[in-house]
Amino acid sequence: MPSTPADKKSDKAKKRKIIDGEEEKPKKKKIRDVNAPRPPLNSFLLFQRHRMPSLRTENPGVPRKELVITLSGEWQNLPDDEKQKYNDEFLASREKYHEELEAYKKTDAYKQYLSLVETMVKENEKSSLESGEKTKKKKTSEKHDGDVRKSRSTDASAMERVEMFNNYIDVPIFTEEFLNINRARESELRQLRKSCVDYEEQNANLSKHIDNMRAAALKMETETSEETKNIEVLEQCNKNLRCCLIDGFKDVSVPDWSDSLNEDNIMYFMEHLLSQCDSNDDLLVKVKSILSTVDYNKYLQCENDETVDIYKLTD
């Protein structure tokens, strides 16, 4: 026997959730602003829009739900460089959407939409008050059940928020307005869930990037500390070598040089000595003799009495 509209309404009423012996109120859906710019599709939906036609051609007769599941698996296995194209397209469309939305909020159509929403809220508040009076009389004989529900409630602020929300969502069921609000709110929630997923992915990528940057900074600090120590050792070796040369050549008489040797002029002295050796063989033999008898290791000792490997420090 075919079902009548009244039977369908009765079936829907039976399927509604019952919480603590009380029928759950229908949720208020925000009225969709048909003139507002549409939010952008996320990366996966862009991929789905691009891939779905060819997938339907390859699998004729397969329900859309199964095709979406197949696309979800393909998206999970899609290389990062392919995903990045859809991510870039999503970011570009999202930026354009925000610009269009800001421009739309300055129009008269948006003001009319806000006025419509405000009117609807006031009507719902009035309807909620009338409904509350009827419910109060009905609950007089159910005081015990009300105490049980009260014990399960959250703190006062949470209850106030729930009450405010219920006042807003109190729309008569089985009406065209109720169905339109339902569809609009479901669409809005889907978009919010998708946006949350995208933000979570972005947060995960940023966290990973921050960790990599911290690791790189720590590595650079360690390398800088090691290089600073190497520089200090090399400076000490340079000073020791200057002292070595001063001790070896302090008694050597060189033409055209009358200054006493010190750490500031020893390198100039060595350059002058080298130029004099080109024309003075006796001086050259004396210089070689001095250099061959100098104990360089004595001047390359660290504070822990270990000999410094200069070539290793300068690699």
Side-chain angles (χ1 to χ4, degrees):
M1 180 178 178
S3 60
T4 63
D7 294 335
K8 292 182 179 179
K9 285 186 177 182
S10 177
D11 292 339
K12 289 182 179 179
K14 291 178 181 179
K15 291 180 180 179
R16 288 204 299 267
K17 295 181 180 179
I18 305 298
I19 299 178
D20 296 334
E22 181 181 355
E23 189 177 286
E24 183 184 23
K25 293 184 179 181
K27 293 184 178 180
K28 171 66 179 177
K29 303 299 181 181
K30 184 178 179 181
I31 296 180
R32 181 173 179 270
D33 188 358
V34 296
N35 298 317
R38 296 185 62 182
L41 300 177
N42 65 14
S43 305
F44 173 71
L45 292 180
L46 292 173
F47 168 74
Q48 176 179 318
R49 185 177 64 180
H50 173 76
R51 181 78 176 89
M52 181 63 79
S54 58
L55 191 62
R56 281 179 172 171
T57 304
E58 298 169 2
N59 302 275
V62 178
R64 177 180 174 82
K65 184 177 180 180
E66 296 183 8
L67 295 178
V68 172
I69 294 175
T70 302
L71 287 176
S72 178
E74 291 184 6
W75 175 257
Q76 294 295 331
N77 298 324
L78 197 68
D80 292 340
D81 55 343
E82 292 292 331
K83 284 185 179 181
Q84 188 61 39
K85 295 190 299 184
Y86 297 102
N87 292 335
D88 293 341
E89 184 177 352
F90 163 69
L91 294 175
S93 59
R94 185 177 64 179
E95 183 177 355
K96 182 180 178 181
Y97 164 73
H98 288 312
E99 293 176 356
E100 293 177 349
L101 183 61
E102 290 299 324
Y104 171 71
K105 287 182 178 180
K106 300 176 181 178
T107 62
D108 294 336
Y110 181 69
K111 296 178 181 179
Q112 293 175 1
Y113 166 73
L114 293 180
S115 177
L116 177 62
V117 172
E118 184 178 358
T119 302
M120 187 195 71
V121 171
K122 291 180 179 179
E123 292 177 355
N124 290 337
E125 289 177 351
K126 182 178 179 181
S127 175
S128 177
L129 291 174
E130 296 175 355
S131 176
E133 291 295 331
K134 296 178 181 180
T135 304
K136 185 177 180 181
K137 294 179 181 179
K138 182 180 178 180
K139 289 183 178 179
T140 304
S141 63
E142 301 175 355
K143 183 178 180 180
H144 176 70
D145 294 338
D147 293 338
V148 173
R149 288 193 296 272
K150 185 177 180 180
S151 64
R152 297 178 181 177
S153 64
T154 56
D155 57 9
S157 60
M159 289 298 295
E160 291 176 1
R161 290 195 296 270
V162 171
E163 185 178 356
M164 291 176 60
F165 183 69
N166 287 337
N167 290 338
Y168 178 74
I169 66 174
D170 189 13
V171 175
I173 61 174
F174 308 129
T175 62
E176 187 66 23
E177 180 186 8
F178 171 75
L179 296 177
N180 291 336
I181 292 175
N182 257 356
R183 285 192 289 268
R185 181 56 61 86
E186 287 173 358
S187 176
E188 181 183 1
L189 288 177
R190 283 196 296 271
Q191 293 295 335
L192 288 174
R193 291 191 189 101
K194 293 170 186 176
S195 299
C196 286
V197 171
D198 292 334
Y199 287 136
E200 288 174 357
E201 291 180 357
Q202 294 176 17
N203 286 339
N205 293 333
L206 288 174
S207 298
K208 184 177 180 181
H209 181 64
I210 291 173
D211 292 339
N212 293 336
M213 293 293 292
R214 287 175 177 171
L218 181 60
K219 182 179 179 182
M220 291 188 66
E221 289 176 359
T222 304
E223 293 177 351
T224 302
S225 177
E226 293 177 355
E227 290 297 327
T228 302
K229 293 179 181 179
N230 292 341
I231 291 173
E232 292 176 355
V233 173
L234 288 173
E235 289 177 349
Q236 185 62 40
C237 290
N238 182 33
K239 182 178 180 180
N240 292 343
L241 286 173
R242 289 173 184 264
C243 295
C244 170
L245 295 175
I246 292 172
D247 291 341
F249 291 96
K250 62 184 178 180
D251 297 327
V252 176
S253 176
V254 180
D256 300 330
W257 185 274
S258 59
D259 297 335
S260 59
L261 298 181
N262 54 50
E263 293 183 8
D264 295 331
N265 64 9
I266 183 62
M267 301 310 297
Y268 298 107
F269 172 79
M270 296 303 297
E271 292 178 1
H272 179 70
L273 179 62
L274 180 61
S275 64
Q276 294 295 324
C277 289
D278 292 338
S279 58
N280 192 331
D281 293 337
D282 293 336
L283 183 59
L284 178 61
V285 172
K286 189 174 182 180
V287 169
K288 289 181 177 180
S289 175
I290 293 173
L291 292 177
S292 63
T293 59
V294 172
D295 183 9
Y296 296 100
N297 290 334
K298 176 182 177 182
Y299 298 94
L300 296 178
Q301 297 293 323
C302 298
E303 294 181 357
N304 56 2
D305 295 333
E306 292 182 359
T307 302
V308 177
D309 188 348
I310 298 179
Y311 298 101
K312 182 177 180 180
L313 293 177
T314 56
D315 283 343

